[in-house]
Amino acid sequence: MNRIKALLAWIDSRRMGWSTFATIALALLVAVIAPHQVAVLLYKLVCISAGAVTLFLVMRELLDCNRPSKLLLPPDESGHREAKPGCEVRLWIAIALQGLAGLAGAVAMALAL
């Protein structure tokens, strides 16, 4: 039980709660509507997850611009963080790359289901 609680805490700390809930809900829906497709669903889910983790690790190691926090100054009194001088374009590229990665993940899930 403690391992399950630790896993749920880790998922919540990574802000993946809603996506995890949606994935489980869709998997249950498929299991109810077409139980013979559960094996295919699990196969595709494992493939997509492995691809997403691999892409994340490669982008994190190879591209410094995948970490927008490295391109920001420390927070001021109000908690607002400005871009480091000369890094404004790199910051917008990093934000755009993260948005595109999110869209690619959504499209991959839609195509897999």
Side-chain angles (χ1 to χ4, degrees):
M1 192 64 168
N2 288 338
R3 288 185 180 189
I4 294 173
K5 286 181 181 179
L7 176 64
L8 292 175
W10 180 80
I11 287 172
D12 191 42
S13 72
R14 300 287 185 206
R15 298 183 183 153
M16 296 188 303
W18 286 106
S19 60
T20 303
F21 174 74
T23 302
I24 291 171
L26 285 173
L28 291 175
L29 183 67
V30 169
V32 169
I33 294 173
H36 60 281
Q37 292 292 324
V38 172
V40 175
L41 176 69
L42 289 175
Y43 170 73
K44 289 181 179 184
L45 187 60
V46 167
C47 289
I48 289 171
S49 300
V53 168
T54 303
L55 178 65
F56 170 76
L57 292 174
V58 168
M59 286 185 70
R60 185 176 177 110
E61 293 303 319
L62 295 180
L63 301 174
D64 189 32
C65 64
N66 195 36
R67 299 184 206 173
S69 60
K70 284 190 163 189
L71 304 173
L72 297 173
L73 294 171
D76 57 10
E77 307 83 42
S78 65
H80 182 71
R81 296 179 74 178
E82 293 284 334
K84 290 181 180 175
C87 291
E88 291 85 3
V89 174
R90 290 179 62 202
L91 179 64
W92 283 107
I93 290 171
I95 292 169
L97 281 175
Q98 287 186 343
L100 286 174
L103 287 174
V107 169
M109 275 302 277
L111 291 175
L113 295 176

